[in-house]
Amino acid sequence: MSQTLPTSADSIAVEQTQSSSERLSPPASRCPECNDRLVTVRHETYCDGCGVLVSDRPLDHGPTLADLGAGADHDSQASIERHSPYFIDKRGSTFSFSYFDAKGNALSSRQLALVRRMERRQCWERDSREELLTDALHDIRTIGATAGLPKFVCERATQLFRDAFEAGLPGGRMSYESLSAGAAVVAAREAGCPQAIEMLIRDSRTSLERGCAGARKIRLGLDLVESCPPGRQDAVQTVLDALRDELTGEDLCSIGEHAARLIRLADERRIGPGTTRLTVASAAVYVAAKAADLRLTQSVVVTAVSPIVETTTGRVSRYGCELSQTDERSEMC
């Protein structure tokens, strides 16, 4: 069977026109399966004939940062809208109603004047201690929101910080920020929350070392040794693992029980309440090694423990002397 070919020039021109129109038609306007019309509703594009879904993630053709002036020679900050620091704080957890109400609507001039008078009166009536207390309670609320702590745990942490505030625990080297982070850690340990210490102190305004020190000061200062387990229950074993290159296995086993007894004694007698449990455990291991006639210096202990916690030979010496004296008095009794 022979194929019929176009013979006239008009038919050839018509076919060329149809082929060119098909090439110029946009590919997104026809279905790839049945060549039917495509329909776009909201963010989905599907075929009107067979119903096949062509796309559900369209490109955003809106203005970009380059369209707003970013990357140009002139100042790009003038083309991009700034965020008001009075609307969202740095942590993004609370709102300030200085310029907006609870629904985000701008205050009127009369309402704004009333808010200004209230703020001035609050500054007159509030002293520095109350201001620090307010900031610390705000830190506890932020830690609870970012770490996913239940509401009753945050309320318990707030009560712990108030009790520590009344007992005069903050002061000296123990800042309010460290004590508020420590209160959150203690409340989470009392409730049995699975969050790690690093996760709890990650979004606080203090370091991991000072946050652990704050937690230990609250445990010892408020007599919570029996009701609240320590955050670092394996502190002695952590120090012994760091000293495996310096001591043999038999030496580690011989001083392990003595060091564990010393750190329990440190919790009962409130030795070094403003420092971390790992630092006290380092001093306990040093005292136990000295009692077993092992050649272990303070500098070796500090060098081995420094990657885990920042400590000094002065701390190991000071807490080691207190542990030795307390141990001797307990044995005499």
Side-chain angles (χ1 to χ4, degrees), residues 34-311:
C34 62
N35 201 24
D36 203 345
R37 186 172 62 93
L38 295 181
V39 179
T40 301
V41 178
R42 293 185 180 178
H43 60 279
E44 294 181 351
T45 302
Y46 59 91
C47 178
D48 194 15
C50 63
V52 63
L53 182 63
V54 178
S55 174
D56 60 346
R57 294 181 180 179
L59 295 177
D60 185 10
H61 298 284
T64 62
L65 292 178
D67 299 330
L68 296 175
D73 295 334
H74 58 83
D75 188 10
S76 61
Q77 297 295 332
S79 303
I80 302 176
E81 182 181 0
R82 296 183 176 91
H83 292 286
S84 174
Y86 295 97
F87 184 64
I88 301 177
D89 65 354
K90 295 180 181 180
R91 300 176 183 85
S93 60
T94 59
F95 293 89
S96 176
F97 307 119
S98 296
Y99 293 99
F100 302 90
D101 58 6
K103 296 183 179 180
N105 301 322
L107 298 178
S108 63
S109 58
R110 183 177 180 182
Q111 293 173 339
L112 189 60
L114 178 61
V115 171
R116 289 292 178 266
R117 288 196 298 270
M118 293 173 62
E119 289 178 350
R120 286 195 298 269
R121 184 169 181 176
Q122 185 181 10
C123 292
W124 296 338
E125 295 178 352
R126 187 175 63 183
D127 57 3
S128 59
R129 289 175 59 88
E130 291 181 355
E131 185 176 359
L132 292 174
L133 177 61
T134 304
D135 294 340
L137 298 182
H138 172 76
D139 292 343
I140 293 175
R141 184 171 63 250
T142 303
I143 292 172
T146 55
L149 296 177
K151 184 178 179 180
F152 73 94
V153 176
C154 297
E155 293 177 353
R156 174 57 177 168
T158 301
Q159 185 61 41
L160 288 175
F161 184 83
R162 290 183 181 274
D163 295 342
F165 185 82
E166 297 295 335
L169 296 184
R173 295 185 178 180
M174 183 55 60
S175 61
Y176 286 83
E177 295 83 2
S178 302
L179 207 63
S180 60
V185 172
V186 173
R189 289 295 170 266
E190 283 185 344
C193 296
Q195 286 84 351
I197 299 179
E198 292 80 6
M199 183 177 181
L200 295 173
I201 308 180
R202 177 187 58 187
D203 296 311
S204 63
R205 294 189 296 171
T206 186
S207 61
L208 178 62
E209 178 187 1
R210 299 311 303 162
C212 295
R216 189 166 187 271
K217 191 164 188 178
I218 288 181
R219 286 185 65 249
L220 303 184
L222 300 180
D223 296 331
L224 301 176
V225 177
E226 299 295 335
S227 61
C228 178
R232 295 279 188 179
Q233 299 184 11
D234 57 343
V236 174
Q237 187 61 39
T238 303
V239 177
L240 294 178
D241 292 341
L243 293 172
R244 287 189 180 275
D245 296 337
E246 305 294 337
L247 301 175
T248 61
E250 297 180 356
D251 296 338
L252 294 175
C253 294
S254 62
I255 66 177
E257 296 181 358
H258 190 190
R261 185 173 61 85
L262 288 176
I263 197 171
R264 288 195 299 269
L265 187 63
D267 290 342
E268 295 175 359
R269 303 298 175 86
R270 298 180 58 182
I271 297 177
T275 188
T276 60
R277 188 176 175 83
L278 282 174
T279 302
V280 180
S282 303
V285 169
Y286 170 72
V287 172
K290 188 177 180 180
D293 294 334
L294 298 178
R295 294 182 179 180
L296 187 65
T297 61
Q298 298 175 2
S299 59
V300 172
V301 175
V302 171
T303 304
V305 180
S306 292
I308 307 173
V309 61
E310 295 181 2
T311 184

